[in-house]
Amino acid sequence: MTTETTPTTRRDFIGKTAATAGALTVAQSAWAAGSDKIKVGLIGCGGRGSGAANQALSTKQEGVVLHAVADAFKEKADGALSNLRTKHAEKVQVDDSRIFSGLDGYKQVIDSCDLVILTTPPGFRPYHFEAAVNAGKNIFMEKPVAVDSPGVRKVQEMAKVADEKNLKVVVGLQRRYQNCYIEALKQVKENGIIGDIVSGQVYWNGGGIWFRDRQPGQSELMYQINNWYYFTWLCGDHINEQHIHNIDVANWFIGGHPISAQGMGGRMQRTEKKTGQLYDHHYVEYTYANGVRVNSQCRHQSGVYNAVREEFTGTKGKIYLINSGACYAVDHKGNTIWKYRPSGEPAVAAEGEAKGKKARRGSDPDPYQIEHDTLQAAIRNNTPLNNAYYGAESTMTSVMGRMATYSGKELTWDQALNSKVQHMPAIVTAETEPPVKPDADGGYPIAIPGKPGVEII
């Protein structure tokens, strides 16, 4: 849910709310009252976290500074700061006392900042979101927002509290901020260019991902956190961590979540024991309340067909959505009936056209940057903004898909959402035993459809 109201200045906002102590407390907690600075805190200093912090510091808003950072591994915090200082020397105002490492460093960052960036492994997201909302802080959090149903329910609960506290929340499903997708949605919903949607296909088929070797003396817990992508309790599998982008587009264009899902998946190339619990392919058939079915594919395999895109078939034609910006629609005879044209700066667009980059994102604003521009503008102008609702809904949709592929069963939305199976422990400290452990041969428990073993639903 994203709504807007007439912008007000910060002084107007504080003046209007000073009449009641409770409302003033909201204003003070949401943004450092009496200061023109927005102190940004980064929690999770990997590649995506560093990228998000760079974008937060690249907005046109005045007074935005990086104030504190935290990561489970100090070397990652130090590396992120070194990188960010080369790009934003004056805006990186983090002294050694505000560089936190370990699994509880997020608490100090939240306490000392006005706007927090949550980019740790997804399993931690519900608890970090809860802590930030309870502390009255504005939030950018990466997708997915959870790895299991209890985590999704926690985010849904705290989304309401965020609204009550007048906090601003953006979730990193950047296609919602991308011009070609926004224009395509307008063509479908307002102009009816393809008629009523009757089916859809969404894809994230690509190669594999990174792996980090076990370090000398490293505990099993920290080894798994360092290789978080390979463990369900930390990642939710790649249908949740990666393919959620395409699944989110399906929910967005259809206008809600599916009512059931069934599918299949497994491991064919990803066969080494060290690669944790992750499947290397998932295929899910989602059925929506209006009878529309969306077929979902994601794959981590080499030497095979790759695709990262979405398409929807309607009564009048088809629309094709591609992250590069090359979105278009055809009728059922194959005639092009609409093609996206970038709406960025004319000079940039002209340069792109001259280089043969027709209708490409390169001549449009960067949606990753727009996320942070929008969030900071909402903070400054006090306009309502809370993406946590659709972030939770799309996360639950991808989690339900994983449940279906792991179990081999058809599941309803209510059955999946109300599941009590909790993969991510409620509290994780350096002494916590990881919820999954290797066997004597170094292998981890892997879900096998139709057979007991890994708890699924």
Side-chain angles (χ1 to χ4, degrees), residues 185-263:
L185 184 71
K186 178 181 178 181
Q187 292 294 330
V188 170
K189 295 294 187 180
E190 296 182 20
N191 298 342
I193 195 168
I194 63 168
D196 297 329
I197 293 176
V198 296
S199 67
Q201 301 278 140
V202 296
Y203 307 85
W204 194 303
N205 292 336
I209 54 165
W210 47 262
F211 177 82
R212 297 170 181 143
D213 290 328
R214 190 184 297 269
Q215 299 301 307
Q218 192 172 51
S219 70
E220 179 63 27
L221 176 70
M222 298 310 289
Y223 167 74
Q224 291 189 23
I225 291 175
N226 201 32
N227 277 291
W228 58 270
Y229 211 124
Y230 291 89
F231 296 93
T232 303
W233 70 279
L234 288 163
C235 164
D237 212 308
H238 65 103
I239 188 174
N240 185 50
E241 207 288 329
Q242 217 171 30
H243 191 34
I244 185 177
H245 283 295
N246 318 103
I247 291 170
D248 175 64
V249 171
N251 285 354
W252 186 24
F253 273 66
I254 293 171
H257 61 74
I259 59 171
S260 66
Q262 66 85 25

Side-chain angles (χ1 to χ4, degrees), residues 10 15 46 51 135 147 178 191 205 208 216 257 272 312 368 385 416 422 449:
R10 174 175 171 274
V147 299
Q178 189 168 342
N191 298 342
N205 292 336
H257 61 74
E272 292 182 271
F312 299 98
Y368 292 92
L385 177 64
Q422 185 166 339

Side-chain angles (χ1 to χ4, degrees), residues 273-354:
K273 293 182 183 298
K274 68 179 184 179
T275 55
Q277 302 172 284
L278 204 67
Y279 277 13
D280 65 10
H281 65 282
H282 299 261
Y283 176 90
V284 181
E285 180 185 76
Y286 290 107
T287 301
Y288 288 76
N290 58 3
V292 172
R293 287 186 175 176
V294 172
N295 292 305
S296 149
Q297 296 181 29
C298 61
R299 179 163 56 190
H300 278 179
Q301 294 176 353
S302 60
V304 297
Y305 169 74
N306 289 342
V308 180
R309 62 181 179 84
E310 307 84 23
E311 66 181 70
F312 299 98
T313 299
T315 52
K316 297 180 182 178
K318 293 184 177 183
I319 193 160
Y320 296 87
L321 309 173
I322 304 173
N323 191 40
S324 67
C327 301
Y328 65 99
V330 299
D331 62 23
H332 286 308
K333 294 182 178 180
N335 300 309
T336 300
I337 53 178
W338 172 76
K339 190 172 184 178
Y340 176 71
R341 298 293 183 185
S343 56
E345 293 293 330
V348 177
E351 182 182 359
E353 292 280 347

Side-chain angles (χ1 to χ4, degrees), residues 22-216:
L24 182 55
T25 299
V26 168
Q28 289 173 327
S29 63
W31 181 19
S35 170
D36 287 330
K37 280 187 177 181
I38 295 179
K39 296 178 181 178
V40 177
L42 173 61
I43 301 171
C45 299
R48 183 74 282 270
S50 297
N54 175 52
Q55 286 137 8
L57 298 177
S58 298
T59 70
K60 295 180 180 179
Q61 297 289 337
E62 297 291 334
V64 178
V65 299
L66 184 64
H67 186 72
V69 301
D71 195 275
F73 302 91
K74 188 176 187 303
E75 62 270 21
K76 292 185 181 179
D78 291 340
L81 280 174
S82 176
N83 179 46
L84 290 166
R85 283 189 173 112
T86 64
K87 299 176 181 178
H88 306 281
E90 295 182 359
K91 293 183 178 181
V92 177
Q93 300 179 7
V94 183
D95 62 33
D96 290 345
S97 68
R98 295 193 299 276
I99 304 173
F100 304 102
S101 58
L103 297 175
D104 61 354
Y106 73 95
K107 297 176 183 178
Q108 291 95 323
V109 173
I110 290 172
D111 287 345
S112 63
C113 296
D114 313 308
L115 164 61
V116 293
I117 297 172
L118 306 181
T119 47
T120 61
F124 292 99
R125 197 90 69 241
Y127 310 108
H128 292 174
F129 181 56
E130 179 182 33
V133 170
N134 284 337
K137 304 306 168 80
N138 299 295
I139 298 156
F140 172 85
M141 60 177 170
E142 259 305 337
K143 55 71 209 165
V145 300
V147 299
D148 52 31
S149 304
V152 169
R153 295 195 298 268
K154 173 63 69 178
V155 172
Q156 290 176 325
E157 170 193 346
M158 297 313 299
K160 296 176 183 178
V161 179
D163 280 344
E164 293 168 2
K165 292 191 171 191
N166 192 34
L167 304 177
K168 321 306 177 189
V169 182
V170 165
V171 174
L173 292 163
Q174 78 281 351
R175 285 163 174 77
R176 300 247 184 175
Y177 290 85
Q178 189 168 342
N179 283 359
C180 62
Y181 280 82
I182 294 169
E183 179 60 28
L185 184 71
K186 178 181 178 181
Q187 292 294 330
V188 170
K189 295 294 187 180
E190 296 182 20
N191 298 342
I193 195 168
I194 63 168
D196 297 329
I197 293 176
V198 296
S199 67
Q201 301 278 140
V202 296
Y203 307 85
W204 194 303
N205 292 336
I209 54 165
W210 47 262
F211 177 82
R212 297 170 181 143
D213 290 328
R214 190 184 297 269
Q215 299 301 307

Side-chain angles (χ1 to χ4, degrees), residues 401-423:
R402 185 196 69 226
M403 290 178 173
T405 60
Y406 276 14
S407 68
K409 297 178 180 179
E410 184 174 28
L411 306 172
T412 68
W413 176 264
D414 290 342
Q415 182 182 11
L417 178 61
N418 294 321
S419 170
K420 301 297 190 295
V421 173
Q422 185 166 339
H423 294 281

Side-chain angles (χ1 to χ4, degrees), residues 255-271:
H257 61 74
I259 59 171
S260 66
Q262 66 85 25
M264 62 186 74
R267 292 161 64 106
M268 299 182 72
Q269 289 191 10
R270 182 172 282 135
T271 56

